Amino acid sequence: MTTSPADQSADSVDRKLLEILVCPLTKGPLEYDAEKQELISHSAKLAYPIRGGIPIMLPEEARRLD
């Protein structure tokens, strides 16, 4: 049985979506950090925020990684 978007909480992210997303700058893979609600691009050294279950894939919204 599949879940509809209405069945997911606002803090959860669709796993299929996470599988297909890539960094918009490097086109490299992303790592999901559930605790911080971010998608990490190690190649770009950026962390893209997830707000209300929606990944914000804008470099200007991303947090720089040290």
Side-chain angles (χ1 to χ4, degrees), residues 13 17-18 21 24 30-33 36-41 46-64:
V13 180
L17 178 63
L18 292 178
L21 283 176
L30 296 167
E31 179 182 316
Y32 176 50
D33 184 334
K36 293 183 180 177
Q37 286 295 293
E38 295 178 324
L39 293 173
I40 309 296
S41 171
L46 293 173
Y48 296 96
I50 299 172
R51 297 184 191 128
I54 300 170
I56 310 300
M57 303 305 295
L58 300 169
E60 58 270 16
E61 292 287 322
R63 176 176 66 83
R64 287 210 160 280

Side-chain angles (χ1 to χ4, degrees), residues 1-8:
M1 183 161 115
T2 61
T3 59
S4 70
D7 294 333
Q8 292 183 334

